[in-house]
Amino acid sequence: MMLAINTIVKPEAMYKHIGDAIGPFVEAHGFSAVRDICAHGVGELFHTNPNIPHYKGNKAAGKMLVGHVFTIEPMVNAGKWQQVTWPDNWTITTKDGLKSAQFEHTMTVTPTGAEIFTASADGRPHYQRQLEALGIPLPNLGTSATPTPVPAESTPAVTTAEEKSPAVAT
C-alpha cells in the first residue's frame, strides 16, 4: 500500500497504476490481492468513484487530480484471491479458507503527491493504541505466524469476526 502511495499517487497519475504497483509486490511475496473488492473515492457519498482495484492489469478509469480524495485498501490473502460472501450479504471470506488481511489509508492528491489523512504521528495503527489502552497485549508476530495467546480474563466479552471464521475480511 505504501509503495503505491509513495510512487504512484500524484497529479495526472492513472488510478489503474495503483494496482500495477500493489499486485506484483503482493504476488512476489507469495500472496494474492482480492479482485472483487476495491478502494474508492470519497466525496459527498463515502463510497464513490473512482473504483480502485489492487491488482495488475485492472481497467480502472480516470486520472488523479489535485484535491481528489480516495482510499487505497488492499486485501491480501495467504491463498487465492477468490472470495465467498456469506448469507448475511456482508461477511466475506476467502474461498480457500486461508487468512486474509486488510488495511486502508484515506488520502488526497496534492501538487507533490499524497497527504494521508489516516496516518498516525508514531506510525502505529490506531487499533494498536486502542488495544493497549484496554490492557490487551498485542500478538507477537516476530518470526512466528502464531500469535501469543491473550489471557481470557483480559479479553473483552464480544464476538469478533475471527471467532466466526479465521478468514474473515470485512
Side-chain angles (χ1 to χ4, degrees), residues 22-23 26-27 31-35 54-55 74-77 79 81:
I22 293 172
V26 166
E27 291 169 9
F31 299 98
S32 66
V34 168
R35 294 179 176 219
H54 300 101
Y55 60 91
M75 296 173 68
V76 179
N77 298 329
W81 62 265

Side-chain angles (χ1 to χ4, degrees), residues 5 8 10 19 23 39-40 67 70 78 85 90 92 109 115 118 124:
I5 292 170
I8 305 297
K10 59 188 168 211
H40 53 84
F70 59 95
T85 302
W90 179 254
I92 297 170
V109 179
E115 177 183 350
T118 48
R124 290 176 41 202

Side-chain angles (χ1 to χ4, degrees), residues 31-90:
F31 299 98
S32 66
V34 168
R35 294 179 176 219
D36 296 335
I37 299 174
C38 59
H40 53 84
V42 178
E44 289 184 25
L45 297 175
F46 180 64
H47 292 97
T48 189
N49 288 327
N51 291 318
I52 306 167
H54 300 101
Y55 60 91
K56 185 177 175 88
N58 70 75
K59 305 295 184 208
K63 65 181 177 180
M64 298 171 210
L65 299 174
V66 172
H68 280 192
V69 178
F70 59 95
T71 67
I72 296 179
E73 49 184 299
M75 296 173 68
V76 179
N77 298 329
K80 305 293 183 194
W81 62 265
Q82 292 87 351
Q83 65 194 37
V84 173
T85 302
W86 287 9
D88 65 7
N89 289 321
W90 179 254

Side-chain angles (χ1 to χ4, degrees), residues 75-125:
M75 296 173 68
V76 179
N77 298 329
K80 305 293 183 194
W81 62 265
Q82 292 87 351
Q83 65 194 37
V84 173
T85 302
W86 287 9
D88 65 7
N89 289 321
W90 179 254
T91 306
I92 297 170
T93 63
T94 56
K95 189 173 183 179
D96 58 17
L98 296 176
K99 292 184 178 183
S100 182
Q102 185 269 347
F103 191 78
E104 92 180 60
H105 271 311
T106 301
M107 68 210 69
T108 189
V109 179
T110 69
T112 58
E115 177 183 350
I116 303 172
F117 298 136
T118 48
S120 61
D122 64 3
R124 290 176 41 202

